Amino acid sequence: MVTSIGIVGLGLIGGSLARRAAARGYEVLAWNHTPRPYETARRDGIQCVETLEGLAQARPELLILCNPLKAMPSILARLAPAIDPDVTTLSDVGSVKGMVREQVSQAGLGGCYVGAHPMAGNEHSGFEASDPALYDGALWAITVDADTEYRRFADVARFITNGLGNELIVLDDATHDRAAALISHMPHAVATAMINELCASPERNIAAALAAGSWRDMTRVALTDPNRTRAMIDEDRTNVEVLLRSMAARLLAFADDLQHDDGVHGDAEAAIAEFFSAGQSFRDFKAQTARGKQTVQGESQLHETTLDIDPARWQSELLESAKQGERITRFLDDRRVTIRRQPII
Amino acid sequence: MVTSIGIVGLGLIGGSLARRAAARGYEVLAWNHTPRPYETARRDGIQCVETLEGLAQARPELLILCNPLKAMPSILARLAPAIDPDVTTLSDVGSVKGMVREQVSQAGLGGCYVGAHPMAGNEHSGFEASDPALYDGALWAITVDADTEYRRFADVARFITNGLGNELIVLDDATHDRAAALISHMPHAVATAMINELCASPERNIAAALAAGSWRDMTRVALTDPNRTRAMIDEDRTNVEVLLRSMAARLLAFADDLQHDDGVHGDAEAAIAEFFSAGQSFRDFKAQTARGKQTVQGESQLHETTLDIDPARWQSELLESAKQGERITRFLDDRRVTIRRQPII
């Protein structure tokens, strides 16, 4: 069982993670690209290390990369000769997983790597904005491949559940990145296209004057730094491209249906009805989830079960479990976990 | 100057309007399709009338249709023989304007009609949810055509500004309906397409598990009653169709750029940069508007001016003013108004 954690990068995500782990009794070592946060971090029980190489050489059992994605190649190049892969398992918190694994493998560290992506964050940044509570209720996606050693996965997963008190799902990189494109990267592109549509209109000031909640909510993410959005989409570009083509096809098909729905073409009327009913299972899911949040603690226990993880096919078994809306909440021993069932779509 | 107001329909919008007008000293008469709200309404000083025909025959100077759009044709048919168009100016609060004017004209009431659409509302409905404060800070769009009599427009506009304390812009029906499609009806279709995209994915439960603020905000309007959304889009279908095709073209072009941005095609890189900068004037506008809200009352007066409305070309003059981000805040006399300038895009 892991007891020492190394953190690379004391920004909002890494700083909050370091503080939460320290508060929960882990030995936490950290390095940051500037020593600015060290004084405050030390007061939170975080051992700050002067060099990145020094952090790796301190041989933490788990070393978590919380640096920006664009710094990943240079950081991995510096870590590679300093890490002892027999002792240290490498992980990260990046929002895309395929690209990170590729970079880790290119640095020769693929054998000791388990990917991770916590669903946590806010609009702030930097250690001064960090807060152990940022991870309250956070779900983590753990990404593995066929070569991932089970013991390394279990170390990371147990740290997240039993250690940090969070829940997790297990995915492969491709599934993670497709899902992230669907619920975040593609929508960011759509929101951007929508404000571009407004700005291209000669009546943009009138439209903006009439705008209410629907417009505000649907364009909010287009107002954040466009360079950050551009980088995020670029890192997951293949999935975003596929989804944008699919969305464009949906919008065109619906436009055709609107054009042909003249009371004569019954097909168009049926297609329009289908357009408005196709997402009903998501509406039901949201209503169920909202109701679920109102149930008392005791009731939610009803959706808990245990699972004995099959050592021969754990990757596919846990991916299938995630697809069924299940989350791992706790390790009971090395192979036995508790599972919480969510409403499904 | 108008002193008596008739309200057709005491729902959320009509009820709040009736109560605000009564509180501000107008004689308010109202009819509702059921007498259920009458007892409460009477306590607010609203004179409730037993029949729709009776309301028209009471000869209010301004009669405002606040009924659902789908009831419009039958209500207009009943009003037509009962209205005295020399005394009464007819208006409405519908969210599409071209269709309503057509129905009003078909009922033979086009000559006494001035369209109106207040940007007010919330997720509730019915008189029990009504509140005069619903109109606090509301902007109204007034729609006119070449045949609109200036005195009728001025009566409606003066009631809204000097009477209700609201601001307004003056549009033609087509401009209003295109703008409404851009900032509301098209985005509703896009949000619906987005939840359809999720539901079509074999990994929908994983995607939903990873979903955060961007997905929640961009799909919120797809969770409301899809039949209402369908009706809203249907009423403005031609404009929605055009915008959906334009949005699809934007998404496809961006997908092509992502595909071709391989470090070799400089064009694709430039197009991607353009995709993320094209909406910058809207980002700047939002930042300016947010700052504007923080300025003290005195400063905002700096953006006020007066306008003498030209009787020969008032429709086009006021449309142009709206396109420049200006709003009418008050009538100083029949033809002289104060104007407030908003930041422009």
Side-chain angles (χ1 to χ4, degrees):
Chain A
M1 220 148 36
V2 166
T3 58
S4 63
I5 311 289
I7 301 284
V8 177
L10 287 172
L12 173 72
I13 299 296
S16 299
L17 181 58
R19 293 174 64 193
R20 190 175 182 101
R24 288 174 170 251
Y26 288 89
E27 182 186 6
V28 179
L29 300 92
W31 169 85
N32 192 58
H33 71 291
T34 88
R36 210 170 341 114
Y38 285 178
E39 198 185 322
T40 322
R42 284 187 176 118
R43 282 202 293 271
D44 284 324
I46 297 162
Q47 301 169 44
C48 298
V49 182
E50 294 309 313
T51 67
L52 178 59
E53 293 77 4
L55 178 63
Q57 285 153 1
R59 298 161 57 98
E61 292 156 281
L62 183 52
L63 181 59
I64 308 179
L65 302 163
C66 302
N67 47 274
L69 282 173
K70 67 177 190 297
M72 202 57 93
S74 69
I75 283 182
L76 286 167
R78 289 172 63 187
L79 281 175
I83 273 185
D84 180 350
D86 291 335
V87 175
T88 299
T89 289
L90 186 66
S91 190
D92 75 314
V93 294
S95 56
V96 290
K97 305 308 331 163
M99 193 184 77
V100 172
R101 185 181 301 275
E102 213 171 287
Q103 292 171 341
V104 168
S105 297
Q106 274 164 13
L109 294 166
C112 67
Y113 175 70
V114 175
H117 177 204
M119 307 302 126
N122 59 35
E123 69 279 26
H124 303 296
S125 61
F127 187 79
E128 57 277 18
S130 72
D131 181 354
L134 189 75
Y135 286 86
D136 284 358
L139 175 74
W140 291 64
I142 303 296
T143 51
V144 299
D145 72 3
D147 297 331
T148 306
E149 286 179 45
Y150 180 80
R151 71 160 179 99
R152 292 190 192 267
F153 156 71
D155 277 351
V156 174
R158 198 169 186 149
F159 165 66
I160 291 167
T161 52
N162 303 23
L164 297 177
N166 289 156
E167 300 184 351
L168 63 86
I169 57 178
V170 182
L171 308 176
D172 56 57
D173 301 325
T175 300
H176 173 278
D177 290 353
R178 275 197 306 273
L182 176 54
I183 49 82
S184 174
H185 309 155
M186 175 275 282
H188 273 75
V190 170
T192 304
M194 219 137 48
I195 68 166
N196 293 354
E197 187 73 52
L198 179 107
C199 287
S201 166
E203 295 145 358
R204 56 192 170 275
N205 289 305
I206 290 168
L210 303 187
S214 57
W215 176 260
R216 185 192 60 228
D217 285 357
M218 290 200 66
T219 58
R220 183 182 58 80
V221 298
L223 300 181
T224 57
D225 178 7
N227 292 317
R228 203 166 67 179
T229 304
R230 182 179 174 175
M232 186 182 81
I233 287 173
D234 190 54
E235 287 150 5
D236 198 12
R237 61 200 305 167
T238 312
N239 291 314
V240 174
E241 187 202 325
V242 169
L243 283 164
L244 288 175
R245 294 193 194 284
S246 178
M247 278 293 291
R250 286 177 192 279
L251 300 185
L252 282 177
F254 183 54
D256 288 344
D257 295 336
L258 287 177
Q259 187 182 8
H260 296 135
D261 180 31
D262 48 12
V264 180
H265 298 72
D267 289 1
E269 194 184 335
I272 289 174
E274 168 64 16
F275 180 78
F276 285 105
S277 67
Q280 193 54 42
S281 60
F282 181 68
R283 292 187 193 101
D284 296 342
F285 162 82
K286 289 294 282 185
Q288 246 186 301
T289 309
R291 273 197 305 275
K293 281 183 181 154
Q294 292 162 11
T295 61
V296 294
Q297 187 69 15
E299 284 183 66
S300 72
Q301 303 297 323
L302 292 175
H303 304 291
E304 286 212 347
T305 180
T306 59
L307 173 72
D308 290 297
I309 298 174
D310 181 344
R313 45 180 294 282
W314 62 275
Q315 291 99 330
S316 60
E317 182 180 40
L318 295 179
L319 175 62
E320 197 44 48
S321 166
K323 283 187 183 170
Q324 298 306 315
E326 298 176 348
R327 301 170 176 201
I328 296 176
T329 55
R330 194 163 184 81
F331 274 66
L332 300 172
D333 60 37
D334 269 4
R335 297 200 171 270
R336 194 175 172 81
V337 295
T338 55
I339 295 278
R340 193 164 65 82
R341 286 205 192 94
Q342 292 280 99
I344 59 168
I345 302 168
Chain B
M1 221 147 33
V2 166
T3 57
S4 64
I5 311 289
I7 301 283
V8 177
L10 288 172
L12 174 72
I13 299 296
S16 300
L17 182 58
R19 292 174 64 193
R20 190 176 181 102
R24 288 174 169 252
Y26 287 88
E27 181 186 6
V28 179
L29 299 92
W31 169 85
N32 192 57
H33 71 292
T34 89
R36 209 169 343 112
Y38 285 177
E39 197 184 324
T40 322
R42 284 186 177 122
R43 281 202 292 272
D44 285 324
I46 298 163
Q47 301 170 43
C48 299
V49 182
E50 294 310 311
T51 66
L52 178 59
E53 292 77 6
L55 178 63
Q57 285 153 359
R59 299 159 59 97
E61 293 157 281
L62 182 52
L63 181 59
I64 308 179
L65 302 163
C66 302
N67 48 274
L69 283 173
K70 66 177 191 298
M72 202 57 93
S74 69
I75 284 182
L76 286 167
R78 289 173 61 188
L79 281 175
I83 273 187
D84 180 348
D86 291 335
V87 174
T88 299
T89 290
L90 186 66
S91 189
D92 74 316
V93 295
S95 56
V96 290
K97 305 304 339 159
M99 193 184 78
V100 173
R101 185 181 302 274
E102 212 171 286
Q103 292 170 342
V104 168
S105 297
Q106 274 164 13
L109 293 167
C112 66
Y113 174 70
V114 175
H117 178 204
M119 306 303 127
N122 58 36
E123 67 279 26
H124 304 296
S125 61
F127 187 79
E128 56 277 20
S130 72
D131 181 354
L134 190 74
Y135 286 86
D136 285 357
L139 175 75
W140 291 63
I142 303 297
T143 51
V144 298
D145 71 4
D147 298 330
T148 306
E149 287 179 44
Y150 180 80
R151 70 158 180 101
R152 293 191 191 267
F153 156 71
D155 277 351
V156 174
R158 198 168 187 149
F159 166 66
I160 291 167
T161 53
N162 301 23
L164 297 177
N166 288 156
E167 300 183 352
L168 63 85
I169 58 178
V170 182
L171 308 175
D172 56 58
D173 300 326
T175 301
H176 173 278
D177 290 353
R178 275 197 306 273
L182 176 53
I183 51 81
S184 173
H185 309 155
M186 174 274 283
H188 273 76
V190 170
T192 304
M194 219 137 47
I195 70 166
N196 293 355
E197 187 73 52
L198 179 108
C199 288
S201 166
E203 295 145 358
R204 56 193 171 274
N205 289 305
I206 290 168
L210 303 187
S214 57
W215 177 260
R216 185 193 59 227
D217 286 356
M218 290 200 66
T219 58
R220 183 182 59 79
V221 298
L223 299 181
T224 58
D225 178 6
N227 292 319
R228 204 165 65 177
T229 305
R230 182 178 174 175
M232 186 182 81
I233 287 172
D234 191 53
E235 287 150 5
D236 198 12
R237 61 198 307 166
T238 312
N239 291 314
V240 174
E241 186 201 325
V242 169
L243 283 164
L244 288 175
R245 293 193 195 285
S246 178
M247 277 293 290
R250 287 176 192 279
L251 301 185
L252 282 177
F254 184 54
D256 287 345
D257 295 336
L258 287 177
Q259 188 181 9
H260 296 134
D261 180 32
D262 47 11
V264 181
H265 298 71
D267 290 1
E269 195 185 335
I272 289 175
E274 169 63 16
F275 180 78
F276 285 105
S277 66
Q280 192 55 42
S281 60
F282 181 68
R283 293 187 193 100
D284 296 342
F285 163 81
K286 290 293 282 186
Q288 246 186 301
T289 308
R291 273 198 305 275
K293 282 184 181 154
Q294 292 162 11
T295 61
V296 294
Q297 186 70 14
E299 283 183 67
S300 73
Q301 302 298 324
L302 291 174
H303 304 291
E304 286 213 347
T305 181
T306 59
L307 174 72
D308 290 297
I309 299 175
D310 181 346
R313 45 182 293 280
W314 62 275
Q315 291 97 331
S316 59
E317 181 180 41
L318 295 179
L319 175 61
E320 196 45 46
S321 166
K323 283 187 182 171
Q324 298 306 316
E326 297 176 348
R327 301 171 175 199
I328 296 176
T329 55
R330 193 163 184 82
F331 274 66
L332 300 172
D333 59 38
D334 268 4
R335 297 200 171 268
R336 193 175 173 81
V337 296
T338 54
I339 296 277
R340 193 164 66 82
R341 286 206 191 92
Q342 292 280 99
I344 60 169
I345 301 169

